Amino acid sequence: MKTYKEVDVVLVGGGWTGGILGKEFSEAGMTVVCLERGGPHTADDFSVPRMRDELAVGQRMSMMVNTTDNTETVRNKSAETALPYRRLGSYLMGTGVGGASTHWNGHTWRWNDNDFQIRSKYEAKYGKQYIPADMTIQDWGVTYAELEPYYDKFEKVAGISAKAGNVQGRKIAGGNVFEAPRRNEYPMPPLVYGYAGDLFAEAARKMGYHPFPRPTANASVPYTNPDGVKFGECQYCGHCERFGCEANAKGGAQMTVIPAALRQSTFELRTYAWVTKVERDASGKKATGVTYTNTVTGEECFQPAKLVVLCAFGLNNVHLMMLSGIGEIYDPVSGKGLLGKNYCYQTGSAAMLFFEDKHFHPYMATAGIGAIMDDFHGNWDFDRAPFGFVGGSTVGTAMYGGRPIQWHPTPAGTPAWGSAWKQETAKWYDRSMNITATGTVMPFRGNYLDLDPTYRNRFGAPLMRMTFDYQDNERKISAHSADVINRIATALDPTHLSKATARQSWSSVPYQSTHNTGGTIMGTNPGNSVTNKYGQVWQVDNLFIMGASLFPHNSAYNPTGPVAAIAYMAADIIKKVYVKQPGKLIHA
């Protein structure tokens, strides 16, 4: 085994959190090694026509993980036998420098205390009996006020385009009036709605709702961030979700924080480095570094470090903790153990509208285009009691690109193939729009992650097993959002309407969301969480975890905002407090 010189910090994963911490630590003079399982990206990788190859990139998932190397096994219930998730469908796991930030949609939300203090707020408003006994929600141990300056920092670094709805307590029409107070306006004005967004926003306003431009990391104008990184202006090319940005207009770690870190002599990025275990000393209470395999040469390596931070995709963080034997794996029968507990996903619903007399030009789009409303999630005055659910949903348009392989909507009753299908596809390609909802998912006792007893990855390690299905709470949310969608859709008087319906059970086959959360949850003490609010593992003081695996539940919002904000907050306290006096940052 090859052993390297000890460094101050080793980061496992080179996405948003690895890039943020790498930049913050190296600029503070700390020696940092960032280990990325995938390969590097160059400007040529994102160039035209390569990046507009929908078959290779959008369908065959060239920017995603190879599931023959590593994946999860999936099932809906503990009584079922889990099978490997071999064909990417429900969620898409990225790989390479920048991680999912190279091909994400860019949707960026500020989660607030409705999420961070979820149990306290629901118990205070609806009573303790309102929360189902097997719903394992808990307060996070962090507040919006603590994270607000870090949200602000990330929005400037990533280049978020949007319209604020609450600046220092002043509500602003046209923005999200249900958002928590922010200190500043967004760095750039919002993207244009597009025709579908205009129609949705007009109908929603007439019904008393509050539509606004979707916040997104797509530069609406040329922009230079605080680190001097120059963004091009979004070209509305239709190749955003699943694709890298040809115009350098989509904020990602590979073009912002990681290049900034690489300018420091104290930062080193190693690609094709697959971390297989977090090593500890004889006491088990101190991490000594990580073991990894160079996937090009096959050589096994050990990188010693004073501080270890797991910055991979959330599911990978959970899996690595399990393979490293750190913490007790959750048992849903006894309720003991915390590792793998509170796994959550997202729910939703969608309708397709067809118009004989309207043209939407779906190929002129970007992942953040369109209007959206927060009347049923961020709006705490929305009464959930008549519907009987915890959480809520956001509702809006989602016209992402009109690419020819993926986008061919047809009305119900259209043949699935043949000349009639071709005629209907040609007719409705430019004459259709959708309205979609994204809903929360709460943690339940029977939804969890553990190790599969049968299947193994390329290194012979057990795959992680996912046991998950929607519960009554999520079915109620989906039914409510479907009703809202259908009322708005009907008001637009389409020629044909494929109505939204409630999701009943989770399937791994159709794409839904790459917002997998939980498994190494944060909290207020070692009895209810794997880490404290800074991501510091209670059992191992010099081991930290970043990313959505920290989330005790999942919101209707996309997770990147709090993922980044928590990373910046953790970087600050590590630099200012932990480095000077290593040990527990919170005693509980």
Side-chain angles (χ1 to χ4, degrees):
M1 177 185 293
K2 182 176 181 179
T3 300
Y4 287 87
K5 181 181 178 181
E6 185 183 58
V7 294
D8 292 324
V9 187
V10 61
L11 306 172
V12 180
W16 266 128
T17 59
I20 287 169
L21 294 180
K23 175 183 179 294
E24 295 295 309
F25 292 157
S26 60
E27 287 183 347
M30 301 165 70
T31 54
V32 182
V33 168
C34 180
L35 302 173
E36 166 56 43
R37 184 166 69 180
H41 292 298
T42 66
D44 188 55
D45 292 335
F46 297 163
S47 65
V48 176
R50 180 178 300 179
M51 195 37 68
R52 293 198 189 181
D53 186 340
E54 186 191 358
L55 180 61
V57 183
Q59 300 299 312
R60 293 177 177 167
M61 312 290 186
S62 64
M63 299 186 72
M64 312 302 172
V65 70
N66 185 342
T67 56
T68 62
D69 291 332
N70 194 70
T71 185
E72 293 80 46
T73 62
V74 296
R75 61 183 181 178
N76 291 124
K77 297 176 176 62
S78 297
E80 299 172 348
T81 299
L83 296 174
Y85 178 60
R86 291 298 189 197
R87 178 173 292 182
L88 293 174
S90 181
Y91 54 93
L92 308 177
M93 302 165 287
T95 188
V97 174
S101 74
T102 61
H103 52 76
W104 67 319
N105 275 331
H107 302 174
T108 306
W109 295 85
R110 292 185 172 199
W111 297 27
N112 58 41
D113 288 334
N114 293 356
D115 283 309
F116 300 143
Q117 299 173 36
I118 185 167
R119 178 169 282 275
S120 296
K121 291 179 78 68
Y122 272 86
E123 287 183 350
K125 185 171 182 177
Y126 300 103
K128 292 184 177 182
Q129 74 285 350
Y130 185 77
I131 300 171
D134 60 343
M135 181 187 289
T136 55
I137 59 172
Q138 65 185 47
D139 292 354
W140 291 33
V142 71
T143 66
Y144 174 81
E146 290 177 282
L147 291 179
E148 199 284 331
Y150 302 110
Y151 280 133
D152 186 75
K153 184 172 183 176
F154 178 67
E155 288 166 358
K156 291 179 171 66
V157 169
I160 309 301
S161 299
K163 175 63 182 173
N166 184 347
V167 177
Q168 299 179 15
R170 181 172 60 90
K171 299 295 181 71
I172 303 172
N176 183 6
V177 295
F178 302 116
E179 71 175 343
R182 56 172 56 244
R183 64 182 61 194
N184 294 310
E185 178 61 87
Y186 283 98
M188 284 172 281
L191 297 168
V192 298
Y193 273 160
Y195 188 32
D198 288 338
L199 291 177
F200 171 84
E202 181 181 9
R205 277 193 293 268
K206 286 181 179 178
M207 297 175 72
Y209 300 136
H210 303 80
F212 57 93
R214 189 188 304 269
T216 184
N218 301 90
S220 60
V221 295
Y223 174 70
T224 302
N225 82 359
D227 298 314
V229 176
K230 295 186 181 299
F231 289 63
E233 183 176 350
C234 179
Q235 302 298 300
Y236 301 89
C237 72
H239 292 73
C240 195
E241 179 189 26
R242 306 187 186 186
F243 296 80
C245 185
E246 64 192 53
N248 215 44
K250 180 169 63 176
Q254 86 289 347
M255 53 86 73
T256 56
V257 286
I258 291 177
L262 286 168
R263 291 198 292 266
Q264 307 300 316
S265 62
T266 53
F267 180 84
E268 180 185 356
L269 173 64
R270 293 184 203 148
T271 54
Y272 303 111
W274 189 311
V275 177
T276 54
K277 188 177 182 181
V278 177
E279 304 290 351
R280 290 175 290 165
D281 67 7
S283 72
K285 297 180 180 180
K286 179 182 178 183
T288 57
V290 298
T291 297
Y292 71 92
T293 299
N294 182 321
T295 57
V296 174
T297 66
E299 183 178 29
E300 191 173 39
C301 306
F302 175 60
Q303 177 58 66
K306 298 174 184 175
L307 185 67
V308 177
V309 189
L310 307 190
C311 299
F313 182 58
L315 292 175
N316 296 334
N317 284 340
V318 182
H319 192 203
L320 184 56
M321 287 285 285
M322 290 179 177
L323 295 181
S324 302
I326 303 173
E328 182 181 356
I329 296 178
Y330 174 67
D331 176 8
V333 177
S334 67
K336 294 180 179 179
L338 290 163
L339 198 56
K341 185 180 178 182
N342 282 33
Y343 170 72
C344 293
Y345 190 52
Q346 280 185 316
T347 187
S349 51
M352 187 64 70
L353 294 71
F354 302 87
F355 299 86
E356 289 273 5
D357 59 345
K358 292 179 173 59
H359 295 270
F360 295 96
H361 308 303
Y363 47 85
M364 298 171 61
T366 186
I369 198 171
I372 195 165
M373 64 190 201
D374 200 15
D375 295 68
F376 304 110
H377 181 64
N379 178 14
W380 190 238
D381 290 332
F382 164 55
D383 187 5
R384 278 82 166 166
F387 306 99
F389 58 71
V390 174
S393 59
T394 59
V395 179
T397 52
M399 305 288 284
Y400 290 162
R403 297 182 292 274
I405 299 176
Q406 189 175 0
W407 181 259
H408 37 75
T410 54
T414 300
W417 63 284
S419 59
W421 176 81
K422 291 179 182 178
Q423 291 171 3
E424 292 294 283
T425 297
K427 177 178 181 179
W428 298 111
Y429 170 84
D430 193 38
R431 294 181 172 92
S432 56
M433 63 171 278
N434 56 28
I435 302 176
T436 68
T438 298
T440 58
V441 166
M442 294 299 131
F444 282 86
R445 190 181 184 111
N447 290 338
Y448 62 98
L449 304 169
D450 65 355
L451 292 177
D452 192 276
T454 304
Y455 295 95
R456 296 179 175 270
N457 66 15
R458 63 180 291 187
F459 297 110
L463 295 184
M464 189 164 67
R465 180 171 59 182
M466 177 188 296
T467 303
F468 174 77
D469 205 356
Y470 297 127
Q471 305 299 313
D472 284 344
N473 187 74
E474 284 66 55
R475 296 184 190 105
K476 291 174 182 177
I477 290 172
S478 188
H480 173 263
S481 63
D483 178 66
V484 172
I485 289 170
N486 291 333
R487 285 191 284 111
I488 296 173
T490 301
L492 290 172
D493 194 24
T495 307
H496 301 286
L497 171 61
S498 296
K499 287 189 173 183
T501 58
R503 293 182 188 171
Q504 298 300 315
S505 183
W506 175 70
S507 167
S508 66
V509 178
Y511 178 73
Q512 294 156 72
S513 160
T514 308
H515 304 154
N516 313 74
T517 66
T520 64
I521 58 175
M522 63 194 297
T524 56
N525 64 74
N528 68 14
S529 53
V530 175
T531 83
N532 62 28
K533 65 182 177 181
Y534 302 114
Q536 185 182 35
V537 176
W538 294 107
Q539 290 180 297
V540 185
D541 295 347
N542 66 331
L543 174 62
F544 287 72
I545 303 173
M546 295 291 112
S549 63
L550 296 176
F551 296 5
H553 74 279
N554 207 355
S555 176
Y557 300 148
N558 300 53
T560 310
V563 163
I566 291 169
Y568 276 119
M569 180 179 71
D572 254 10
I573 197 164
I574 289 170
K575 290 187 300 182
K576 296 175 181 177
V577 177
Y578 180 87
V579 169
K580 298 175 182 177
Q581 189 173 354
K584 293 186 183 298
L585 293 168
I586 295 176
H587 293 272

